[in-house]
Amino acid sequence: MAVDLSIETALLLERWQGIVNSMAQVAEVPCVLINRLDKNEICQAVGSVSVPTFYCGEPVPLALNTYCSQVISSNQPLLVENAIGTRYENNNPTFAAGFSYYYGLPLLWPSGKTFGTLCMLDFSSPDRASQHCSLLTLFKQAIEYDLQMLQQQQDLLKREQQADKKFIQLFLCTRQK
C-alpha cells in the first residue's frame, strides 16, 4: 500500500506548528519560525508570530540581507544578540519589523542539501531567549529526523511506482504473446 505523501506532509506541518508554538511559549519570544528554501526565496513553512505587522507567509528573496539568508549561505548557526549598528540593519525586513535578536539554525535534508531554517526572534537580547538555544537545537534534530523519514517515504513511493510499471509492462508483454 502506497504512502500518501500529502497526508504525511500535512501531519509534519501540524507537528512542526506545535514545536514552534511550544518554543515561543517556553522562550517567551514573539516569533519562532520554520522556513524552507524554495529556489531563490525563503518561505515560511510554519510559524508562531505574535506581531501583527510582521510579514507572514510572504516569500522573501534570498538576496535580501536577512538573518535566515546568512544561515542558509553559511550553513551555520547564527546568533545576533543585537543587530543595531551591524550589517543586519540594512535591507533586512526582519530587522525593519523590530527584531534585533535572532538565533537561527540551518535545517538539512539527509543528503546535506539545505531545507531551510529554524529560528527564534525577539525585539531585544533577553537572557531568557539565549537560555533556550539548546532547546532549539533539539527541535532542529527532531525536524531533520522528520525530513529523513519523509525522504525515505518518497524513495519508497518511487520504488513502488517503478515496480508497478515493470509489472504492468511484464503483464502486457506476456499477454500479447
Side-chain angles (χ1 to χ4, degrees), residues 42 45 67 75 83 86 97-98 104 110 137 143 145:
I42 300 170
Y67 306 117
N75 203 26
T86 70
T137 300
I143 293 163
Y145 179 79

Side-chain angles (χ1 to χ4, degrees), residues 11-13 15-20 23 34 105-110 115 118 134-151:
L11 291 172
L12 279 182
L13 291 175
R15 181 169 44 241
W16 293 355
Q17 186 65 57
I19 286 173
V20 296
M23 188 71 222
I34 296 174
L105 301 166
L107 295 172
L108 306 175
W109 285 102
F115 171 82
L118 170 62
S134 60
L135 184 57
L136 205 66
T137 300
L138 288 174
F139 284 148
K140 168 193 165 52
Q141 293 168 350
I143 293 163
E144 287 181 340
Y145 179 79
D146 287 343
L147 291 172
Q148 181 181 2
M149 292 298 104
L150 184 62
Q151 182 68 55

